[in-house]
Amino acid sequence: MKFEHAPQASYEDVGGGQVLHSAPGFPGFPARLAVELFERARVLVGRERVGLWDPMCGAGGILTSVALLRPDALTRVLASDVDEGALELARKNLLLTTVPGLEARRAELVERGAAAGRVASADRLLARVAGLPAPPASLARADVTDPSSVAGLDLDGVDVVMADLPYGTQTDWASTSTTPTAQALEVLRDALPDGAVVVLSTTEREHLRGLPDATRSFKHGHRYVRLYRTGA
């Protein structure tokens, strides 16, 4: 895959464990790829600003990366997951899209004697967010494979969904379905308005079993990516 929207640059400040919170069992997601996939989805939606939802948010890395690097393109962000531990980690990371949250994180890094490079990353992120209001962020516990669970979410204004599918070795589905990805996609398509875009990413090809033809599909490194436009 050729990058079309995320320029070649250093994304170290929003990745690599520099500033964002991490924990065992919560795999990260490349920040540059997150921005690229978000922008491709936004182009398909056809709006300058969109609402972004990650229904399998884990540590919230995708949402936090996009909110830090493309805040002017967001109207809101929504993080949901079945795991309360994941939501707590995502909450801490989404706070880093605000000046108070980053200031507190910087002070924490200094107090813990973090490497100077990590503190410098926090300073650069502070300079980045200082002039732009953070998009409103909300979190909720929900199982994306369960229609009744998703029905309880506030999806007003959500135009783009981005999800990195569970890895199996580090995370796993709550659903017992033999095709949980297909089940989740069906729930998402029913819950979203026509014209919304669902982006699914996985490193395990078996997760794509049973999926319908995608609006866009490509491979980047070890990741398989599918984009679906609802109502299409």
Side-chain angles (χ1 to χ4, degrees):
M1 181 202 77
K2 180 181 178 181
F3 283 90
E4 299 174 352
H5 304 282
Q8 184 174 1
S10 173
Y11 291 82
E12 180 184 21
D13 295 341
V14 290
Q18 287 292 94
V19 179
L20 271 64
H21 299 273
S22 60
F26 295 96
F29 193 89
R32 186 185 184 192
L33 183 58
V35 170
E36 178 69 21
L37 297 182
F38 168 73
E39 292 292 2
R40 289 191 181 208
R42 189 167 67 92
V43 168
L44 280 177
V45 171
R47 294 181 184 171
E48 289 293 320
R49 302 176 71 226
V50 297
L52 176 62
W53 171 29
D54 185 344
M56 308 173 217
C57 69
I62 290 175
L63 294 175
T64 303
S65 296
V66 175
L68 284 170
L69 298 172
R70 291 292 189 272
D72 53 336
L74 291 167
T75 57
R76 62 172 296 204
V77 295
L78 169 62
S80 67
D81 203 290
V82 295
D83 185 345
E84 291 287 358
L87 290 172
E88 176 58 23
L89 198 54
R91 182 191 67 79
K92 292 169 66 175
N93 278 327
L94 286 171
L95 280 174
L96 301 180
T97 65
T98 70
V99 170
L102 273 171
E103 288 178 338
R105 179 59 167 161
R106 184 189 187 281
E108 179 186 17
L109 291 172
V110 171
E111 182 179 353
R112 292 185 175 182
R118 297 182 67 188
V119 177
S121 286
D123 286 336
R124 285 190 291 270
L125 289 178
L126 271 167
R128 173 181 286 276
V129 305
L132 293 171
S138 54
L139 299 94
R141 187 177 185 278
D143 178 359
V144 69
T145 64
D146 180 357
S148 62
S149 183
V150 170
L153 297 176
D154 174 13
L155 300 180
D156 184 40
V158 169
D159 309 286
V160 174
V161 172
M162 292 178 60
D164 192 30
L165 302 178
Y167 285 18
T169 56
Q170 299 186 63
T171 57
D172 210 347
W173 293 94
S175 172
T176 57
S177 170
T178 56
T179 56
T181 308
Q183 184 177 348
L185 180 59
E186 182 177 354
V187 171
L188 290 169
R189 291 175 120 177
D190 288 343
L192 296 168
D194 287 352
V197 173
V198 177
V199 182
L200 301 178
S201 170
T202 182
T203 59
E204 300 182 19
R205 195 167 189 172
E206 65 182 43
H207 282 157
L208 305 178
R209 182 164 53 90
L211 292 185
D213 292 339
T215 306
R216 301 280 191 277
S217 63
F218 50 88
K219 189 172 184 288
H220 177 69
H222 296 295
R223 293 182 186 273
Y224 301 90
V225 180
R226 300 288 184 269
L227 277 69
Y228 294 88
R229 190 172 186 184
T230 59

